[in-house]
Amino acid sequence: MRDNRALYLHKEIRSFMESFWVSTGVVALAEMGDKTQLLAFLLAARFKKLWPIVFGILVATLANHALAGAVGAWVSTQISAGVLRWILAASFVAMAIWMLVPDKLEDDGDAQPPRWGVFATTVLMFFLAEMGDKTQVATVALGAQYHSVLTVAAGTTLGMMLANAPAVFLGEELVKRVSLKATRIAAALLFLGLGLWQLAEIAG
């Protein structure tokens, strides 16, 4: 009995670690050069209040990705395992292609202080910008794959913060030191690997 419990606990921990770190890595790479990272650059340059921006990004991402992970987990309960694997494989391959397309963000040049404060403005802008974005779509797919809203949302939120907090504090220096093209390619390869993994599960 103890051996069975230990084996079950080991599997649960391994599943948690896999879903958390895959979610973190996928989103951290996908976010590099994404429009929400460009938004982080823009807000930091415009308002100069860095910590309210960082906390605003955190709150917006937690809310958005918890919703996205929940949608993914719900979808996984409505579709058979075989059909879900085909959908996930196609989704991950499509994401790999999407990753290669650089994002752009228009700046209207308005440097006036935000009416609702920097924090509230950041929360609203990031939440809306993330709707239908690459990283939100990735979170839905990851939620469907791992069936864990909490783990996936925590991992994808960490990935967003790993990409966006340095963007707020380092700004242009980060762009000079990190190749956005290389990170897009790395993210595309990671999504392609996830898609091939699903296809291998189907074939197996």
Side-chain angles (χ1 to χ4, degrees):
M1 181 67 70
R2 289 182 178 178
D3 289 342
N4 290 337
R5 288 180 179 177
L7 181 61
Y8 174 78
L9 181 60
H10 175 72
K11 288 182 177 179
E12 286 296 305
I13 293 174
R14 185 174 65 180
S15 176
F16 170 83
M17 295 300 291
E18 177 186 325
S19 59
F20 179 79
W21 289 115
V22 168
S23 299
T24 300
V26 163
V27 170
L29 285 173
E31 182 65 7
M32 297 301 294
D34 191 67
K35 71 173 180 287
T36 42
Q37 189 186 55
L38 300 179
L39 179 59
F41 286 134
L42 178 61
L43 290 170
R46 189 179 282 181
F47 301 128
K48 312 297 184 184
K49 295 182 178 180
L50 305 186
W51 283 110
I53 293 172
V54 170
F55 286 123
I57 293 171
L58 175 61
V59 170
T61 302
L62 280 170
N64 193 290
H65 285 202
L67 176 63
V71 169
W74 176 81
V75 167
S76 71
T77 66
Q78 305 300 308
I79 301 174
S80 68
V83 173
L84 180 62
R85 285 196 178 99
W86 280 110
I87 293 174
L88 287 174
S91 298
F92 285 133
V93 171
M95 287 295 298
I97 297 171
W98 193 7
M99 283 297 119
L100 299 176
V101 180
D103 277 343
K104 294 181 180 179
L105 183 70
E106 296 298 328
D107 182 2
D108 61 10
D110 181 11
Q112 296 299 317
R115 180 178 180 182
W116 303 107
V118 174
F119 171 77
T121 299
T122 301
V123 171
L124 179 61
M125 292 182 70
F126 252 81
F127 186 88
L128 294 177
E130 189 65 8
M131 296 300 291
D133 195 44
K134 296 172 184 174
T135 45
Q136 189 195 45
V137 175
T139 302
V140 172
L142 290 165
Q145 176 167 335
Y146 291 112
H147 318 290
S148 175
V149 177
L150 179 62
T151 306
V152 168
T156 57
T157 298
L158 177 59
M160 287 284 284
M161 298 311 296
L162 289 174
N164 287 316
V168 172
F169 288 107
L170 300 179
E172 293 299 321
E173 287 298 317
L174 181 65
V175 176
K176 293 177 183 177
R177 295 176 182 275
V178 177
S179 170
L180 298 183
K181 181 179 180 180
T183 57
R184 285 197 300 271
I185 293 173
L189 290 174
L190 184 54
F191 276 111
L192 181 61
L194 290 171
L196 294 176
W197 180 16
Q198 290 296 325
L199 291 175
E201 290 288 325
I202 295 170

